[in-house]
Every structure is written in C-alpha cells, then in structure tokens.
Amino acid sequence: MFILSSSSSTLPSAPPFSSTTSIFLSFSRVSLPPSSSSLKLLPLSLQFGPPKLASSCSLRFSASRAMAELVQDKESAQSAATAAAASSGYERRNEPAHSRKFLDVRSEEELLSCIKKETEAGKLPPNVAAGMEELYQNYRNAVIESGNPKADEIVLSNMTVALDRILLDVEDPFVFSSHHKAIREPFDYYIFGQNYIRPLIDFGNSFVANLSLFKDIEEKLQQGHNVVLISNHQTEADPAIISLLLEKTNPYIAENTIFVAGDRVLADPLCKPFSIGRNLICVYSKKHMFDIPELTETKRKANTRSLKEMALLLRGGSQLIWIAPSGGRDRPDPSTGEWYPAPFDASSVDNMRRLIQHSDVPGHLFPLALLCHDIMPPPSQVEIEIGEKRVIAFNGAGLSVAPEISFEEIAATHKNPEEVREAYSKALHLQSFFNINSFGNQVRT
C-alpha cells in the first residue's frame, strides 16, 4: 500500500533551487489555455459506488535509528547486492523460514488475535504490531466504503498477505541496492501491490488523458530511446495507481517504469513490502538530508552512487524513469485547504535533462500529471519521524501526459543559463498541471 515517497537528488555541481521562482497552481482554479481544448479523456471501467469517508493510521518509529541502520546496511550490502543483480538479472529474495500464521487466518477475529500472539511471542515489536492493527482497520473501512459486495473477502485476502510480508521483513529485513529491480519470484511483490491498491480506486470516476502520447512513449522505448517522466507526486501509492490506470492500455509502461524513490519508504516496515515490488532508483531526499547530521555525508555518497547507476542505465537505452522533482508529495494550502502541486526543483529537472543528453542515446522528457491525493493524502507538513499518520479512502484518480517541451526553444529566448533552467522547469510544471486540471473536477465527482 505505502509504496513511495519519491524524492530528488542533485549532482554535486548543481546550484540550489530558489523558492522565489516557484509556481503554485490550484487543481480547481487554474483556467486552461486554448490549446488544451483538444485534450482526450478516457473514462475507465465502472466498478462500485463513490463513498470516500477516510480512516487514519498512525505509527511512529525512531528516525535516527531507522536511517542509521538503513545507511549502514546499504553501505555494507552495496557490492554484494549489485553483483547478485548483475549475475541473476534481478535481485532474488530468498524466502527464509518464518512464521506464516497470518496466511492461515479466516476471519477478522483470528487476524487480530494473530497480531497479538506474534507480539507476545516476541516476533513483532509492539509499535509495529500497533501499526499493523491500525492498518487493517483503516484498509477495511476504505474498501467497505467502496460498496464492493465482496469487500470483506477482499480485505481479508489482501491484508493476510500484507501482514505476512511485513512480518517477514521484520524477521529478515530486506536491503535495497541503488538500483532495485522488482522482485517477481518466488513471491510476486508487484502483483501483490497491484491487488492491494486496486480496491481503493473508483475506476468509474477515473480518467486517463492523452493515450496517444503514452503509445508514443512505448514506441520510443521500443526504438531504444530513453524517456523520463517529470511528474508531481501525491501519495505513497502513486506507482501502483499509475500502473493500475495504464495496465489495460499500456501494460509495458505499467510494469517497467523505474521510480526514483526516497529513503523513507525503504525503512518504514509498513512501506517496504510494497516498495520491493517496484523498479527503483534509491536516493536520500534533500528534505531529510540533514535530519541526522552525522549521516549527511554518507547519504550524499549514496546519492552519487545512485546517479551513476542511473547514468549507466540510460547509456543502455530503452529506459523509462519517473521522477518527482519537487522532492516530495503535494500538500494542501494550510489556510485554505486547497491542494496545490508542489513546485519543481529546477536543478533536479536540469540534472535529468543532462543525464539524458549525455547518455549517447536519444532521450525525451515528458511532463506527467497525477491526481489521486484523496486516496492517501500525506501529512499536512513534512515530518522527520518514520511512521506518519496515514489516511486511506476510496476515490477516483486521474493521469495525464503532455507533449515534450523543447529545451532549445526556451534556451533561445534567454541569455542567462540559470534563467533557462528556471524557465524550462516552469514550462514543464505548467504543462503538466494544465492537463490535470482539465479533468480534476470530474475525478472528484
């Protein structure tokens, strides 16, 4: 369920982003330009009714302890993990012997009792056990509110597997390498994540725009080109939501996108099983770079390795990378409650453009816009501690890709390189949200 909190990283030479040039646009108040009238919308298949009362889930972990362990594990496991991935074609997770009692439960009562027993047996830390129980209750409420007549069956089936995977990772913590390939066997973590998020999407009130451009992206990938999706970021479930919206029309994009992922979803026990099912480039978020001062330099070195890994991938061609250059999730205005897309970090956008340019393979940057915040909105403010309060709801979602924007044309109108970077980032940001605003209200209906 809790997949990503994607974040950006900068090359050492990249100058800092100036917040004075940021653009904030309201999903509900931006008027569309004349050219947007040709936007194509695709309604998705209708499932069940639209109720969307939300439930919350809160869980706190020690940020310093979790991050220290994550950094140390990534340092010590880096060479071995990279070698294993190279030799096998993917990172195979060995399935150690562990308690599989969650897979045997047949009712809510048995499930809650199992959490209690595993905690009493010392197999689950009390804080993780509390989070698992809250997660079950909130997921159950959201799925039942969807009106699905099989809600109880779906909830029990998905939650028993989710709790089994969480327990497994508590007993045998998974370590992510800089480039993590989705684990598809012996347990298929990708399908697990898709099945878990699917009941939370109101497909009857969801839309995909500009399908012809998604087809164009697939054709470019088949020709050996690289494609980077410059996107906003709304929920930890964004990767699964994107894949679910495209799984029928563009299954290759759905399964093969590489997501630039922040460190927090690689450390949170409730997030990790869902992250394991995604192709990732793992980085440490700039927003949390200085949370633990003694780890700052180690994080920077890890980010440099990840950027080198990304550069190597792009040199091989046919890579599809999703990145949220805002460095975090969109959040509502604290005074009005209006949702605003977070501004793009111009240096992060420029880093991706330069990586594409220097890969010696044709490359393309497309603006991508995603509207799904009601399904799992983030906390109102950025939090340091691992284990944020989570709200889960059944709701519609929207996805739109916009045409490429020529960097050369923008560069021709500015003399200062810094102005060019800012103008290009603004153009991507504007185009992305002009598209999403054209059907934002329809998604919320």
Side-chain angles (χ1 to χ4, degrees), residues 376-416:
M376 197 183 300
S380 58
Q381 296 180 341
V382 176
E383 298 181 349
I384 295 178
E385 292 296 317
I386 300 285
E388 65 190 41
K389 177 179 180 180
R390 292 180 170 98
V391 177
I392 309 169
F394 174 74
N395 213 296
L399 183 67
S400 173
V401 64
E404 293 182 78
I405 296 174
S406 172
F407 178 81
E408 289 72 21
E409 290 182 6
I410 291 177
T413 63
H414 297 79
K415 295 182 180 181
N416 187 305

Side-chain angles (χ1 to χ4, degrees), residues 36 111 146 169 182 191 215 238 260 315 329 372 385 428:
S36 67
L111 184 146
S146 74
D169 197 77
I191 295 299
K215 181 180 180 181
D238 283 1
V260 179
R315 289 174 189 172
R329 288 166 288 180
C372 61
E385 292 296 317
L428 289 167

Side-chain angles (χ1 to χ4, degrees), residues 102-106 111 155-165:
F102 284 112
L103 299 180
D104 297 328
V105 304
R106 295 293 180 267
L111 184 146
V155 169
L156 190 62
S157 175
N158 287 343
M159 281 304 310
T160 53
V161 177
L163 297 184
D164 172 73
R165 293 293 105 179

